[in-house]
C-alpha cells in the first residue's frame, strides 16, 4: 500500500470511529429530533415490510425508507438506533465518494483525502449524519450519479439518478444539469462536425453559443442527422427520467407528496442571496482572496454594480418571503438568525446587500469558464429554479449546490492554507453546534420530551 492509501484508510477509520462515538452520545441524549417524529415511524414500518403506510406530513418520496427496508429489514433491526445508523453508514460511504469525485480535479493524493474529509465535515451536513433524515442517503445517490455521468456510464448514471429522485424529488434538478450537459455537448459536437468535419469539438466556448443556438433553432435537422445512435441511447436514459418526473408531477398534482399547505411553490428570489451568504460563510477562505479583485472590479464597473445593487434592494424590499415555519420553529439555528437580525432590525436585510453582491461575484468567478460555458449555463438555471421556488428558508436546500460549487473551486496556490482554515472553521462550528444541541433544551407544550436545537 502507498502512503496516500494508508492515509485514506486511517482517515476513513478515524472518521468512522469518532462519528460512531458522537452518534452514540446523540442517541442517548435525544429520543426524537425535530422531523424524526415523521421519518422514524415510517422507517420502522418499511423496515418491517409494511409498505402500505404513509404520513401526510412527509413531503419526500420513500427512498430513505426503502433503503432502510433493504439493509435492516432482513435482520429485524428496526429500532431508532439502527434506523439512525443508516445516515452514519452512508456518511462513511460519502467520504469515499468525495474522494473519487475530487480525484477528477485534484492531482495530489493527500489533498484528495483532505478535501473528502472536509466536505463530510461541512457542519450542517455532518450533523445530519447522526439522525434519521433524508439528506445523507440523498447525497449518496447524487454523488454516485455525478461520478457515473462524468465517467460516461450513462445507463448506470440514469439508474442512480432515478433513485436520487426517489430519495428527494428536487434531485431531478441535478439529473437535468448533468444529463443536460451531456446532451448539449453532444449536439454541439454534431454542430461543429457539420461546420468543420475535421475539427474536434471538445469544450463549448462562449463565442460559439450564439451561432450554435441560431443554427440549431433555424435548421435542427442538419445537426441532428450528424448525431449517433449511441448518443441518442445515452440521451434517452436522461430524457426518460425527466418524462417520468413530469408524469409524477401530473399524477401527484405537485412536487411534494405531503404537507402541501406548508410547502407550496413560490417566487422567492432572495433565496439566491441567502445561498450566496451560505457559500461565503462556509467557504470564506476562498472568498477572502477575492476581496481586492472585487474592489477593482467594482471600480471599473461602477454603473453595473450600482444597477445590480439597486435591483437587489428592490428584490429584498418587495420579495422577502417569511415562511410561518421560519417564525414558529425555534429548534433550528436559522430561527435565531432571522429573529435576532433579519426580523429584529428592519435595516439589516438592506445593509447586508453589499455582502450578497460580493458573494455572487465570487460564485460567478468560480463557475465561469469562457472556454466551456455548458455547465455554467445549466447549473445557474437549474439552481436558480431550485432555490427560487422554495418559500421556506432552509439551509439543507443549499447543501448540494454548495458541494458542487466547492468541487469546482480551484485555488491551487493557496489550496493547503485554505484547507487548514476550512478544517479549523468546520471543527469549531461543529463543536459549537453540538454543544448547543447537548446543553440547550426547549419544551413544547404538545411534546412529552425536551426539544433540542439543530441546523
Amino acid at each position: 500500500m502507498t502512503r496516500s492509501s494508508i492515509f485514506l484508510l486511517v482517515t476513513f477509520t478515524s472518521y468512522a470511529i469518532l462519528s460512531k462515538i458522537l452518534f452514540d452520545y446523540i442517541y442517548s441524549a435525544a429520543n426524537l429530533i425535530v422531523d424524526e417524529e415523521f421519518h422514524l415511524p415510517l422507517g420502522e414500518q418499511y423496515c418491517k415490510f409494511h409498505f402500505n403506510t404513509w404520513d401526510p406530513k412527509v413531503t419526500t418520496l420513500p427512498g430513505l425508507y426503502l433503503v432502510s427496508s433493504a439493509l435492516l429489514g432482513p435482520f429485524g433491526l428496526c429500532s431508532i438506533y439502527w434506523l439512525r445508523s443508516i445516515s452514519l453508514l452512508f456518511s462513511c460511504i460519502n467520504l469515499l465518494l468525495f474522494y473519487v469525485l475530487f480525484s477528477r480535479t485534484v492531482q495530489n493524493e493527500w489533498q484528495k483525502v483532505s478535501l473528502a474529509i472536509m466536505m463530510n465535515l461541512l457542519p450542517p451536513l455532518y450533523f445530519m449524519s447522526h439522525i434519521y433524515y433524508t439528506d445523507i442517503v440523498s447525497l449518496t445517490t447524487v454523488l454516485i450519479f455525478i461520478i457515473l455521468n462524468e465517467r460516461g456510464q450513462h445507463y448506470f448514471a440514469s439508474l442512480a439518478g432515478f433513485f436520487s429522485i426517489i430519495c428527494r424529488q428536487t434531485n431531478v434538478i441535478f439529473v437535468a444539469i448533468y444529463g443536460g450537459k451531456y446532451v448539449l455537448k453532444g449536439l454541439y459536437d454534431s454542430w461543429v462536425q457539420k461546420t468543420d468535419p475535421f475539427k474536434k469539438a471538445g469544450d463549448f466556448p462562449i463565442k460559439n453559443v450564439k451561432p450554435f443556438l441560431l443554427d440549431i433553432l433555424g435548421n435542427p435537422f442538419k445537426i441532428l442527422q450528424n448525431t449517433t445512435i449511441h448518443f441518442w441511447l445515452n440521451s434517452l436514459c436522461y430524457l426518460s427520467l425527466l418524462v417520468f418526473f413530469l408524469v409524477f408531477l401530473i399524477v401527484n398534482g405537485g412536487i411534494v407528496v405531503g404537507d402541501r399547505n406548508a410547502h407550496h411553490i413560490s417566487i422567492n428570489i432572495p433565496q439566491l442571496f441567502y445561498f450566496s451568504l451560505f457559500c461565503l460563510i462556509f467557504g470564506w477562505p476562498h472568498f477572502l482572496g477575492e476581496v481586492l479583485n472585487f474592489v477593482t472590479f467594482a471600480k471599473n464597473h461602477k454603473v453595473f454594480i450600482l444597477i445590480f445593487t439597486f435591483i437587489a434592494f428592490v428584490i429584498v424590499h418587495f420579495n422577502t418571503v417569511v415562511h410561518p415555519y421560519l417564525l414558529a420553529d425555534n429548534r433550528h439555528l436559522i430561527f435565531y438568525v432571522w429573529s435576532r437580525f433579519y426580523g429584529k432590525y428592519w435595516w439589516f436585510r438592506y445593509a447586508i446587500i453589499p455582502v450578497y453582491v460580493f458573494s455572487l461575484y465570487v460564485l460567478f468567478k468560480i463557475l465561469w469558464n469562457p472556454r466551456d460555458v455548458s455547465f455554467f449555463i445549466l447549473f445557474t438555471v437549474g439552481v436558480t429554479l431550485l432555490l427560487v421556488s422554495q418559500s421556506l428558508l432552509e439551509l439543507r436546500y443549499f447543501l448540494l449546490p454548495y458541494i458542487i460549487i466547492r468541487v469546482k473551486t480551484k485555488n491551487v496556490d493557496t489550496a493547503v492554507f485554505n484547507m487548514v482554515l476550512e478544517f479549523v472553521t468546520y471543527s469549531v462550528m461543529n463543536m459549537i453546534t453540538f454543544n448547543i444541541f447537548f446543553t440547550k433544551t426547549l419544551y413544547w407544550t404538545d411534546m412529552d420530551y425536551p426539544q433540542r436545537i439543530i441546523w
Side-chain angles (χ1 to χ4, degrees), residues 75-214:
F75 308 100
L77 303 175
C78 301
S79 64
I80 292 176
Y81 183 89
W82 287 106
L83 288 171
R84 282 183 181 173
S85 70
I86 290 291
S87 293
L88 183 62
L89 170 64
F90 278 80
S91 175
C92 294
I93 295 173
N94 288 343
L95 176 58
L96 300 176
L97 293 175
F98 278 129
Y99 174 80
V100 174
L101 196 58
F102 277 111
S103 295
R104 294 186 61 85
T105 57
V106 179
Q107 299 299 321
N108 186 286
E109 288 290 331
W110 301 85
Q111 286 188 16
K112 293 177 192 177
V113 179
S114 301
L115 286 167
I117 191 69
M118 199 78 63
M119 292 314 305
N120 243 27
L121 291 176
L122 180 65
L125 181 67
Y126 186 61
F127 191 95
M128 298 301 162
S129 303
H130 300 83
I131 61 179
Y132 194 61
Y133 269 41
T134 60
D135 300 79
I136 304 301
V137 174
S138 171
L139 174 61
T140 303
T141 59
V142 173
L143 291 179
I144 293 173
F145 165 77
I146 293 174
I147 291 169
L148 292 172
N149 171 273
E150 292 187 341
R151 289 186 171 185
Q153 298 173 331
H154 302 290
Y155 175 75
F156 293 106
S158 66
L159 293 178
F162 173 79
F163 201 78
S164 73
I165 296 172
I166 297 298
C167 288
R168 181 171 287 177
Q169 297 92 297
T170 52
N171 287 340
V172 70
I173 292 292
F174 303 103
V175 172
I177 290 171
Y178 283 88
K181 182 184 176 184
Y182 172 78
V183 175
L184 180 60
K185 293 291 286 291
L187 293 175
Y188 175 71
D189 289 349
S190 298
W191 178 77
V192 170
Q193 291 172 11
K194 182 182 81 70
T195 55
D196 186 353
F198 300 101
K199 182 179 179 182
K200 286 188 176 181
D203 295 334
F204 186 16
I206 182 65
K207 66 179 182 179
N208 286 347
V209 171
K210 184 177 179 180
F212 167 72
L213 291 177
L214 291 175

Side-chain angles (χ1 to χ4, degrees), residues 239-266:
L239 292 173
S240 62
L241 287 181
L242 299 182
V243 171
F244 154 76
F245 188 76
L246 181 61
V247 172
F248 161 76
L249 289 179
I250 295 173
V251 173
N252 187 58
I255 191 169
V256 298
V257 294
D259 200 15
R260 295 186 181 179
N261 292 331
H263 294 85
H264 56 274
I265 294 178
S266 66

Side-chain angles (χ1 to χ4, degrees), residues 12 51 79 87 109 130 137 148 188 207 217 245 270 278 290 307 315 318 321 343 345 362 369-370 375 420 428:
F12 178 85
F51 301 120
S79 64
S87 293
E109 288 290 331
H130 300 83
V137 174
L148 292 172
Y188 175 71
K207 66 179 182 179
L217 292 174
F245 188 76
F278 178 95
E290 294 292 340
I307 293 175
I315 291 172
F318 291 102
V321 177
Y345 305 107
V362 178
N369 179 7
F375 182 81
V420 171
V428 171

